[in-house]
Amino acid sequence: MKNSILPFLLLAGICIACNNEASHTESVSKDSIVQQPKVDSAALQASGVYGGFVPCADCKGIMTYLSLHPDMTYSLEETYYERDDQVFRTASTWKMDNGKIILYDNDKIKLSFLRDNEKLYQLDHEGNRISGNLGDKYVLTKQGMIDKSRFKEKAAAGIDFIGHGTEPFWGIEIDKEKSITLTSPNFKDTIVVPYAEGSVANNVRQFHIESGKTKLDIVLTPQFCSDGMGDMLYEYSVRVKYNNKDYSGCGTLLNSF
């Protein structure tokens, strides 16, 4: 009798263990599900980079770039022309309210805009469109970022940074494993100097290189930059001084430094 009961007890024990394991697995699966925050469709459509040259009371104008991110954060970059070209950056949160985009800074409203398709019209403190002779100048237009895939062959060849400028035309390529190359139709020869590690302060990277009779100073600043030849933005402004002559332009990072 005892021998006939034993198989049933063993089978029951196995079933209980299986049920417990299944229940545990189901519990873990439910607990491990992370609820992803829902992104408002209107906010998703509004997200992107907007830029414009807006009036300034005590300077030539303010080159303004506003990045609205889908996670409801923003970054604002304002360059005050002919006032030491000061650059002010703000990063905080934003929200949409009845078609208006409101930027906050330290829990206070910093700026507000009315969105109309690809444009943001700045509003006054009462939430109305800015009027007057310069009213139509307070507008930011949606911008596009340069497509880095156009430089994929350069990146594959080891080029870490590429930049260029106009007036006169010039170009620069930085390969941190080899060299820095500077070109221009105005140069008799292509300038190639060995790469030398630069210094970094406040995310601005600077190089000072002397090789033979060649003196080269390079400043790479992470800020939106337009080369004036298209409607796409680059992520860096570039300043180069070669043998006491200044060159300015835009650039993009292809591989990390």
Side-chain angles (χ1 to χ4, degrees):
M1 182 69 176
K2 290 181 180 179
N3 291 338
S4 62
I5 294 175
L6 184 58
F8 290 102
L9 293 176
L10 291 173
L11 181 60
I14 293 172
C15 291
I16 292 172
C18 291
N19 288 335
N20 287 340
E21 183 177 351
S23 299
H24 175 70
T25 302
E26 182 179 357
S27 175
V28 170
S29 298
K30 289 180 179 179
D31 293 340
S32 62
I33 295 175
V34 178
Q35 296 295 328
Q36 297 294 331
K38 294 183 179 179
V39 178
D40 183 82
S41 59
L44 190 61
Q45 291 178 359
S47 63
V49 179
Y50 297 81
F53 194 68
V54 301
C56 173
D58 59 353
C59 67
K60 183 178 179 180
I62 307 171
M63 191 67 239
T64 304
Y65 289 109
L66 171 63
S67 297
L68 298 177
H69 308 300
D71 63 356
M72 308 311 291
T73 62
Y74 76 86
S75 56
L76 178 67
E77 180 183 293
E78 299 170 294
T79 303
Y80 287 70
Y81 278 71
E82 294 187 357
R83 201 173 81 181
D84 297 329
D85 288 351
Q86 293 173 298
V87 180
F88 294 90
R89 294 181 175 87
T90 309
S92 190
T93 59
W94 66 284
K95 76 171 185 179
M96 294 196 70
D97 185 10
N98 293 325
K100 296 179 181 178
I101 291 175
I102 302 174
L103 310 184
Y104 289 91
D105 184 23
N106 294 326
D107 297 325
K108 295 182 179 179
I109 295 178
K110 178 177 178 64
L111 290 171
S112 60
F113 299 87
L114 178 66
R115 178 174 176 263
D116 184 8
N117 293 323
E118 303 291 283
K119 295 183 181 295
L120 298 181
Y121 295 93
Q122 188 172 333
L123 305 177
D124 60 23
H125 294 296
E126 297 179 354
N128 301 315
R129 284 274 304 271
I130 296 177
S131 57
N133 295 334
L134 299 177
D136 59 348
K137 302 295 184 182
Y138 289 89
V139 58
L140 305 180
T141 304
K142 201 165 191 178
Q143 310 286 307
M145 296 300 296
I146 194 70
D147 183 7
K148 292 188 179 185
S149 65
R150 60 186 284 192
F151 305 117
K152 61 182 180 181
E153 292 183 359
K154 294 283 187 181
I159 303 301
D160 302 298
F161 186 93
I162 189 168
H164 71 275
T166 59
E167 299 180 2
F169 286 98
W170 61 273
I172 191 169
E173 295 181 358
I174 300 177
D175 181 343
K176 65 181 180 182
E177 300 296 332
K178 296 180 181 179
S179 59
I180 297 177
T181 303
L182 181 66
T183 59
S184 173
N186 293 348
F187 298 163
K188 182 179 179 181
D189 299 303
T190 297
I191 310 303
V192 181
V193 296
Y195 177 82
E197 193 67 35
S199 61
V200 181
N202 297 322
N203 295 320
V204 177
R205 189 176 294 270
Q206 300 187 56
F207 301 87
H208 176 73
I209 300 170
E210 294 189 22
S211 178
K213 296 182 179 180
T214 300
K215 292 183 179 180
L216 197 60
D217 289 284
I218 305 166
V219 180
L220 309 180
T221 304
Q223 65 183 86
F224 291 117
C225 180
S226 172
D227 62 7
M229 297 189 298
D231 55 0
M232 295 295 174
L233 295 177
Y234 292 79
E235 58 191 358
Y236 280 83
S237 67
V238 184
R239 287 190 292 116
V240 176
K241 177 175 281 190
Y242 165 59
N243 287 352
N244 296 319
K245 183 173 178 58
D246 294 320
Y247 301 85
S248 60
C250 305
T252 189
L253 192 65
L254 304 182
N255 297 302
S256 60
F257 275 115

